[in-house]
Amino acid sequence: MPKGEMDAVSAGMVGQRVVLFDFDGVLIHGTAFYLFIRERYRRSLWRGLLAVLCLPLLLVQRLFSRRLPIRTLVRIALFGLGDQRYQAAANAFAASLVQQSRLFCRDGLQALRRHQAAGDRVIVVTGCEHTLVSGILQQLGLINLEVLASQLRRGWFGMRPQWHNVGRRKVEKLAQHGLTAWQVAYGDSLYDAPMLKLATEAVLVNGTPALCKKVEKALGRTITRVEWF
């Protein structure tokens, strides 16, 4: 058992600890919302055609930001969906996704369950969209979890991004949740550095040596590195 887990489990005997888990790259291999959006395009030819028609706009947007064309593609994928239809689509995709067991990180899920069994307060803090990630966790049988995630809002033509819960925004979201420090945090990228920095024990999941050095430089201290499958 990695040092971060042992410390958290031991401390759970004397008092509840707060343990944070990223989702994409930590509990699942890949990016769940990307898989959902890709499936939306796969099932709808006209959305793909509309994206092709928008290619000149996407190229112009790419000159200014990498995020702008991505947001446009997401809005096309969600075009025509209201709250209820989106929730139904996200939950249906979550149910189908969990059937692909190889997509999920067995070691990560086991670690999360051990923290729960130890009495730790476990919070999933992710850039994935809230309805989708909540549905996936429920389908996996992971209950009594707090989830802080990205959010969508209803627009004139369908659901659209409202809050992208990445980087420093994770820390902001945690602060809104009443938390400014935590005992253990699991992340997988440099984007998780703000969240990892405020943890007593920062754990990098499946990070390369180069990434580990970058994260340690950002944190100004050493971290625990684990290989999960």
Side-chain angles (χ1 to χ4, degrees), residues 71-85:
R71 289 173 69 93
T72 298
L73 290 171
V74 168
R75 292 184 66 179
I76 293 173
L78 302 179
F79 185 86
L81 292 184
D83 293 316
Q84 293 185 349
R85 288 186 61 197

Side-chain angles (χ1 to χ4, degrees), residues 137-196:
L137 293 170
Q138 290 175 7
Q139 289 289 334
L140 289 170
L142 295 170
I143 58 176
N144 299 321
L145 280 175
E146 296 171 69
V147 178
L148 302 180
S150 294
Q151 296 176 321
L152 301 175
R153 64 181 176 89
R154 186 173 182 175
W156 285 104
F157 303 106
M159 303 300 288
R160 58 186 297 176
Q162 178 179 27
W163 175 270
H164 195 196
N165 199 47
V166 296
R168 294 188 180 278
R169 288 192 166 195
K170 289 188 175 183
V171 175
E172 293 175 21
K173 197 72 172 179
L174 285 158
Q176 294 171 12
H177 206 58
L179 295 167
T180 56
W182 31 91
Q183 282 65 52
V184 185
Y186 296 90
D188 73 307
S189 74
L190 192 58
Y191 288 112
D192 292 322
M195 179 178 78
L196 295 174

Side-chain angles (χ1 to χ4, degrees), residues 37-47 93 96:
I37 294 298
R38 187 179 69 178
E39 182 69 4
R40 296 285 300 169
Y41 277 105
R42 189 183 73 82
R43 289 177 173 271
S44 179
L45 178 61
W46 70 264
R47 294 182 195 278
F93 181 76
S96 65

